[in-house]
Amino acid sequence: MKPIQVALIGTGTVGGGLLRVLSRNREEITRRAGRDIVVARVGARDVAKARKLVGPDLPVDADLMAVVTDPAIEIVVELIGGVVDAKRLVLAAIAAGKHVVTANKALLALHGNEIFAAAQDRGVMVAFEGAVAGGIPIIKALREGLTANRVEWIAGIINGTSNFILSSMRDTGASFASALAEAQRLGYAEADPTFDIEGIDAAHKLSIMSAIAFGIPMQFERAYTEGISQLTADDIRYAEELGYRIKLLGISRRVESSEDGRASGIELRVHPTLIPAKRLLANVEGVMNAVLVKGDAVGPTLYYGAGAGAEPTASAVVADLVDVTRLHTADPEHRVPHLAFQPDSLSNTPILPIAEVRTAYYLRLRVADKPGVLADITRILADAGISIGAVLQKEPAEGTHATDIIMLTHGTLEKRVDAAIDRIESLASALSKVTRIRVEDLA
Ligand code: HSE
């Protein structure tokens, strides 16, 4: 059979990995796909730089639009990154009847609904395994492997940079700033690390996974996003003393209307989270990613692997290329839908605001060490209907009269905790703001 013709747009780290994996494993990939997959053209903004990567034989063009609309091309692989140009190119490829493979999570989180609708109308596929958790086949698992299940929740470590920083803070007692500097020195964190450390990259990936898991449109703009930049070495140490580890988790959970009088909806949130140290997820270290998915039939399932990097991400991109190669002659109505559910069967279940989230909490406060302080705090929590599970109080450091009080609450509504924190912070004995970190059991 004639080789399928692919255009590669973008020749950065993942583009290089893709060319290497396709070439090294060509024979096996062809036997799986049923035909040869050939990168026939390359589009790159910096042609000279791209030329060094692709060698002398492949045509390299700076006119990216000409490459994606070339009539000879059947699949466009978008690895250019960014959102504005990528969106324009992907929509042009779709309009020209090309299938698209992309690893661009920001593009899909922000514009996925429009892109999938355009692809559906045109009868082409947009495949995006590489967009979430690098080499872990989590999209395939959610879209196909778990299709029998009503997904109850997803919890994932889906940003390697922040996981590296948290692991390094725990291992060495380093501050956030020095762990970030180390991540930058090792090339994990960008010069501007905002997307990674403030949870935005994780929220992009979580929005994509929750759309597939719950059959809802992509709703990145409704995700609650809190990063790790405010975490202190003290919090990490206190969490350890209480038997927990702190991880930046993306959590999405289906809420039924009966719980706490809450309306039904979907929780969609990224934030630092205390999880019991004995959980597998608590032991995912360094830049590795892991996603825990709880289905009603299968129970908890865990997916672990490299969440970034040239060949791990290329592994996901090649899997998409093979899928598209196998399925492009299939009747579009009988392909796996982009978001797993048929496009006219997506649900309008709302995303719940963070105030309506129910979870447990770690609360830390620096107080003047004098009689009645603990009683005042516990009374405020009791008034708010919040039950305390554990309390840790430290001796004041020598020569001071200030001490840290750390509490773990049982499960409660976020809005109750908001109200209690306001009251605690107004106590005369409160010497700091309350640090609040959410706690999940993940059982
Ligand atoms: N910057 C991401 C991370 C990798 O640190 O996990 C690409 O999604």
Side-chain angles (χ1 to χ4, degrees):
M1 213 169 177
K2 184 175 149 302
I4 198 151
Q5 305 292 304
V6 176
L8 168 62
I9 306 296
T11 51
T13 310
V14 180
L18 174 68
L19 294 173
R20 275 200 307 282
V21 172
L22 274 178
S23 154
R24 189 171 72 235
N25 298 340
R26 181 174 174 184
E27 194 253 348
E28 295 229 347
I29 292 167
T30 307
R31 280 166 56 211
R32 290 188 173 119
R35 55 196 283 207
D36 210 2
I37 296 172
V38 168
V39 176
R41 288 190 71 168
V42 173
R45 291 192 183 106
D46 184 340
V47 173
K49 196 167 151 220
R51 170 69 58 213
K52 285 196 196 119
L53 187 90
V54 306
D57 302 329
L58 262 176
V60 181
D61 212 310
D63 183 350
L64 308 184
M65 194 53 88
V67 178
V68 305
T69 55
D70 178 343
I73 295 298
E74 294 163 279
I75 308 175
V76 171
V77 178
E78 182 277 306
L79 297 177
I80 198 177
V83 170
V84 177
D85 287 350
K87 180 184 177 197
R88 201 168 45 84
L89 292 162
V90 162
L91 288 175
I94 290 169
K98 322 291 185 194
H99 304 287
V100 173
V101 174
T102 177
N104 191 331
K105 62 251 159 172
L107 173 70
L108 294 179
L110 296 174
H111 303 295
N113 298 323
E114 181 183 347
I115 289 169
F116 295 140
Q120 185 71 22
D121 283 350
R122 195 67 178 77
V124 297
M125 290 173 273
V126 176
F128 51 95
E129 186 65 73
V132 180
I136 305 174
I138 187 64
I139 300 299
K140 190 83 167 175
L142 286 169
R143 283 203 330 168
E144 299 180 48
L146 298 175
T147 204
N149 289 265
R150 200 169 147 79
V151 174
E152 294 175 1
W153 50 262
I154 303 173
I157 294 172
I158 44 182
N159 184 267
T161 305
S162 43
N163 201 50
F164 174 87
I165 292 171
L166 293 178
S167 300
S168 146
M169 287 174 76
R170 186 175 74 85
D171 287 348
T172 66
S175 67
F176 170 79
S178 65
L180 169 61
E182 174 72 353
Q184 284 172 319
R185 194 183 62 75
L186 293 170
Y188 296 139
E190 308 278 341
D192 177 0
T194 311
F195 271 36
D196 288 326
I197 63 173
E198 297 304 348
I200 299 163
D201 174 77
H204 287 150
K205 296 165 182 168
L206 183 68
S207 307
I208 297 171
M209 289 196 292
S210 58
I212 299 170
F214 301 114
I216 54 175
M218 219 82 82
Q219 293 172 77
F220 166 72
E221 67 289 353
R222 295 210 164 86
Y224 173 81
T225 304
E226 180 185 317
I228 60 170
S229 57
Q230 302 306 313
L231 286 177
T232 66
D234 283 346
D235 290 318
I236 289 178
R237 204 178 60 249
Y238 292 148
E240 289 282 314
E241 285 182 34
L242 291 160
Y244 290 82
R245 299 233 168 111
I246 301 181
K247 294 290 181 188
L248 181 70
L249 291 191
I251 298 172
S252 191
R253 177 181 278 129
R254 187 195 296 274
V255 174
E256 306 295 354
S257 55
S258 57
E259 294 173 29
D260 287 325
R262 286 190 289 171
S264 48
I266 308 279
E267 295 179 359
L268 188 62
R269 49 193 170 103
V270 172
H271 51 69
T273 313
L274 267 76
I275 51 180
K278 63 185 177 199
R279 297 269 177 269
L280 285 171
L281 211 52
N283 293 283
V284 172
E285 300 288 13
V287 291
M288 300 306 278
N289 280 198
V291 183
L292 185 55
V293 183
K294 172 95 186 294
D296 68 336
V298 71
T301 57
L302 180 65
Y303 309 84
Y304 169 87
E311 294 207 4
T313 310
S315 163
V317 172
V318 172
D320 279 345
L321 278 172
V322 170
D323 254 1
V324 173
T325 302
R326 285 174 178 150
L327 291 173
H328 84 297
T329 51
D331 170 0
E333 296 302 315
H334 293 100
R335 296 182 190 138
V336 183
H338 291 110
L339 294 180
F341 291 72
Q342 298 298 337
D344 56 2
S345 300
L346 293 184
S347 116
N348 58 6
T349 310
I351 302 297
L352 294 172
I354 190 71
E356 295 295 324
V357 160
R358 182 187 166 86
T359 186
Y361 293 83
Y362 161 106
L363 304 174
R364 174 174 60 79
L365 174 70
R366 177 143 296 196
V367 294
D369 187 28
K370 52 185 194 194
V373 178
L374 194 55
D376 288 344
I377 296 170
T378 53
R379 190 171 314 110
I380 290 171
L381 293 174
D383 288 351
I386 298 168
S387 170
I388 299 165
V391 180
L392 186 65
Q393 183 176 352
K394 297 290 174 184
E395 291 274 6
E398 222 172 292
T400 74
H401 296 284
T403 185
D404 280 347
I405 292 181
I406 299 104
M407 295 188 170
L408 290 183
T409 76
H410 290 301
T412 185
L413 288 180
E414 177 105 1
K415 60 187 171 193
R416 288 194 195 161
V417 174
D418 289 340
I421 286 177
D422 279 351
R423 286 189 61 197
I424 291 171
E425 286 177 346
S426 68
L427 290 171
S429 48
L431 302 178
S432 72
K433 292 271 184 203
V434 173
T435 293
R436 163 230 317 253
I437 307 176
R438 297 168 189 87
V439 182
E440 293 284 345
D441 191 51
L442 302 179

